[in-house]
């Protein structure tokens, strides 16, 4: 897997851009909080980015299908460089306002859904038409790329808290703009999938259902009709409502109860990052040997430690965030892999953007609700709600694993093999509709 052309370059590009994003995740809310003193405004700025994802996420599936995954990633990186640089530039000139912050944040979100969907789909391209349908290999590749996010989650917050204290939050945002630029250069130079592979399937489906597959809502319809995908997406929604809300609560927790030092915020977030980094290593090396029982245990590990957030002590909070991070890579790689392989190639861009949009819709709800909830109910009540939602996500994920006990349907591209295959139950076809016949 590590010798696959372009895979390590994709890892490095993902590592750099995610590192910059973590700097922003700390610097931007801290900047809004210290300049306005309002958790609601802080929540609104972060929520605006996810509103951009949710609003334009489903239509972006057609963009990915038309342009291809690599070109889409390049366009998104190129666009986010000036957008991110605009925030510190406006601040430096004295023209930065809350409406401007909301507009820039929304625009950044508009490029998130197609980029994330393309980054997930390009893995099957890089592995090739045969290896790209190997569930265990694709799961490890997903774990490797997710590992870039997790390693950045370890280094970004720790360094981000220090940089905010030394430079101020506005100057830290320049660094994030630079990481998007470097990511663009790496993708343009080194990530080149074989031209013969077309996971997006744009223009390759001549069936009568082609027009339907190209429709904006085709991916969402497929995910809703497919029982297993429906459960995975529901589990993902519960988790993505709860986890982002934590990062709205942490600045308030640090400022009100833990001394008000941004370095403490960085260390707490880095504890989660350490768990994510170690969990990614476990996923890359051992996910292919894990059965559904082990993955159910990982889902439990992701939700149960969140109750430690109710303990008013930095060590307890850091421990809970670390344990949650430890389980997350295993679950993320499992969902991404099974969504990819349970979906026919021609509509994968639509399905993946639908899943990404739903994921970010959950984050939008979490960011939007958390700020007002903090003012109305206080930290402890919000933390209890977060832990409860995560538990619902773990239960739903376990239900999806229990239902999904068969290998994926054989794709069209796979060459015939001389030996006779066993009959596979047709659980991967949607309950209604014929457009997803493998």
């Amino acid at each position: 897997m590590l010798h696959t052309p372009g895979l390590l370059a994709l890892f490095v590009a993902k590592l750099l851009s995610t590192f910059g994003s973590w700097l922003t995740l700390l610097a931007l809310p801290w900047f809004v909080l210290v300049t306005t003193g309002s958790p609601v405004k802080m929540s609104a700025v972060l929520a605006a980015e996810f509103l951009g994802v949710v609003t334009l996420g489903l239509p972006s599936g057609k963009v990915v299908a038309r342009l291809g995954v690599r070109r889409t990633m390049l366009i998104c990186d190129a666009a986010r460089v000036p957008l991110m640089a605009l925030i510190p530039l406006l601040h430096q000139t004295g023209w930065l306002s809350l409406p401007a912050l909301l507009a820039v944040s929304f625009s950044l979100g508009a490029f998130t859904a197609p980029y994330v969907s393309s980054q997930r789909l390009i893995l099957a391209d890089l592995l090739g038409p045969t290896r790209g349908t190997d569930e265990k290999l694709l799961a490890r590749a997903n774990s490797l790329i997710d590992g870039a996010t997790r390693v950045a989650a370890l280094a970004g917050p720790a360094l981000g808290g220090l940089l905010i204290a030394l430079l101020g939050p506005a100057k830290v945002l320049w660094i994030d703009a630079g990481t998007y630029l470097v990511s663009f250069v790496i993708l343009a130079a080194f990530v080149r999938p074989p031209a013969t592979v077309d996971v997006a399937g744009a223009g390759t489906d001549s069936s009568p259902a082609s027009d339907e597959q190209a429709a904006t809502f085709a991916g969402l319809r497929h995910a809703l009709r497919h029982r297993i995908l429906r459960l995975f997406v529901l589990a993902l929604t519960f988790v993505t409502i709860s986890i982002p809300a934590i990062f709205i609560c942490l600045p308030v927790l640090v400022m009100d109860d833990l001394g008000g030092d941004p370095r403490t915020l960085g260390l707490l977030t880095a504890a989660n990052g350490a768990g994510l980094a170690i969990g990614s290593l476990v996923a890359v090396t051992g996910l292919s040997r894990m059965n559904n029982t082990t993955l159910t245990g990982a889902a439990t590990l992701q939700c149960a430690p969140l109750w430690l957030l109710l303990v008013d002590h930095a060590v307890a909070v850091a421990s809970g965030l670390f344990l949650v991070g430890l389980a997350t890579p295993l679950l993320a790689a499992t969902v991404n892999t099974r969504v990819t392989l349970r979906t026919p190639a021609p509509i994968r861009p639509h399905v993946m953007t639908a899943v990404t949009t739903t994921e970010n819709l959950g984050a939008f709800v979490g960011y939007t609700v958390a700020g007002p909830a903090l003012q109305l109910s206080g930290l402890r009540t919000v933390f209890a709600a977060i832990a409860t939602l995560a538990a619902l996500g773990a239960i739903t994920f376990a239900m999806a694993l229990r239902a999904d006990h068969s290998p994926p349907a054989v794709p069209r591209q796979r060459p015939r093999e001389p030996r006779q295959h066993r009959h596979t139950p047709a659980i991967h076809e949607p309950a209604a509709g014929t457009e997803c016949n493998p």
Side-chain angles (χ1 to χ4, degrees), residues 285-378:
T285 57
L287 183 59
S288 60
R289 297 188 295 273
M290 294 183 183
N291 56 26
N292 286 350
T293 301
T294 306
L295 291 173
T296 300
T300 304
L301 181 62
Q302 188 186 50
C303 70
L306 286 175
W307 294 101
L308 289 173
L309 298 178
L310 294 170
V311 180
D312 189 15
H313 197 283
V315 174
V317 174
S319 300
L321 293 174
F322 172 82
L323 293 173
V324 170
L326 196 63
T328 298
L330 298 171
L331 310 183
T334 300
V335 171
N336 291 338
T337 300
R338 300 197 186 192
V339 168
T340 300
L341 296 183
R342 299 319 183 252
T343 304
I347 61 168
R348 282 181 188 170
H350 302 285
V351 173
M352 192 59 77
T353 51
V355 171
T356 303
T357 301
T358 304
E359 181 180 354
N360 283 276
L361 177 60
F364 170 74
V365 172
Y367 279 130
T368 303
V369 172
L374 283 171
Q375 287 193 335
L376 293 174
S377 305

Side-chain angles (χ1 to χ4, degrees), residues 89-144:
L89 181 62
L90 289 175
H91 175 70
Q92 188 173 354
T93 58
W95 291 351
L96 185 64
S97 62
L98 182 60
L101 268 174
L102 294 173
V104 172
S105 189
F106 179 89
S107 301
L108 287 168
F111 293 97
T112 297
Y115 182 89
V116 173
S117 301
S118 299
Q119 178 253 308
R120 292 170 177 173
L121 290 169
I122 202 172
L123 293 176
D125 278 6
L126 293 173
L127 292 173
T130 300
R131 297 168 70 224
T133 60
D134 184 328
E135 181 167 317
K136 293 183 178 180
L137 185 61
L138 184 57
R140 293 182 64 199
N142 268 302
S143 300
L144 178 66

Side-chain angles (χ1 to χ4, degrees), residues 10-288:
L10 183 64
F11 174 89
V12 174
K14 181 70 173 176
L15 177 66
L16 290 173
S17 63
T18 308
F19 173 78
S21 297
W22 272 104
L23 294 182
T24 298
L25 185 61
L26 266 69
L28 192 56
W30 191 266
F31 173 76
V32 176
L33 190 61
V34 298
T35 54
T36 68
S38 171
V40 174
K41 291 181 179 179
M42 175 187 67
S43 178
V45 170
L46 291 179
E49 181 173 355
F50 291 93
L51 181 61
V53 177
V54 172
T55 304
L56 302 176
L58 290 177
S60 70
K62 295 167 67 174
V63 175
V64 176
R66 183 175 296 115
L67 297 179
V69 290
R70 178 176 178 271
R71 188 180 300 174
T72 301
M73 294 175 71
L74 289 172
I75 291 172
C76 291
D77 266 345
R80 289 184 291 183
V81 173
L83 282 172
M84 182 56 67
L86 191 59
I87 298 176
L89 181 62
L90 289 175
H91 175 70
Q92 188 173 354
T93 58
W95 291 351
L96 185 64
S97 62
L98 182 60
L101 268 174
L102 294 173
V104 172
S105 189
F106 179 89
S107 301
L108 287 168
F111 293 97
T112 297
Y115 182 89
V116 173
S117 301
S118 299
Q119 178 253 308
R120 292 170 177 173
L121 290 169
I122 202 172
L123 293 176
D125 278 6
L126 293 173
L127 292 173
T130 300
R131 297 168 70 224
T133 60
D134 184 328
E135 181 167 317
K136 293 183 178 180
L137 185 61
L138 184 57
R140 293 182 64 199
N142 268 302
S143 300
L144 178 66
I145 300 305
D146 277 346
T149 304
R150 315 312 178 189
V151 172
L154 172 61
L159 185 57
L162 180 61
L163 289 175
I164 291 172
L166 292 177
L167 304 176
K171 292 183 179 179
V172 171
L173 298 177
W174 283 110
I175 301 175
D176 191 11
T179 61
Y180 284 129
L181 178 60
V182 176
S183 174
F184 172 87
V185 172
I186 292 174
L187 291 173
F190 301 108
V191 181
R192 298 179 179 274
T196 56
V197 181
D198 188 6
V199 169
T204 64
D205 188 359
S206 58
S207 69
S210 296
D211 293 339
E212 177 69 15
Q213 290 170 353
T216 299
F217 295 96
L220 183 60
R221 281 195 297 270
H222 174 71
L224 292 177
R225 291 170 177 172
H226 195 299
R227 177 170 177 260
I228 295 166
L229 295 187
R230 185 168 64 244
L231 288 172
F232 276 126
V233 171
L234 182 59
L236 188 64
T237 302
F238 282 130
V239 172
T240 53
I241 291 175
S242 59
I243 299 300
I246 295 174
F247 295 98
I248 290 291
C249 296
L250 286 182
V252 179
L253 176 67
V254 170
M255 187 166 288
D256 291 350
D257 299 335
L258 300 178
D261 190 338
R263 289 173 292 187
T264 303
L265 175 63
L267 291 174
L268 288 177
T269 313
N272 180 251
L276 292 169
I278 296 173
S280 294
L281 180 61
V282 173
V284 171
T285 57
L287 183 59
S288 60

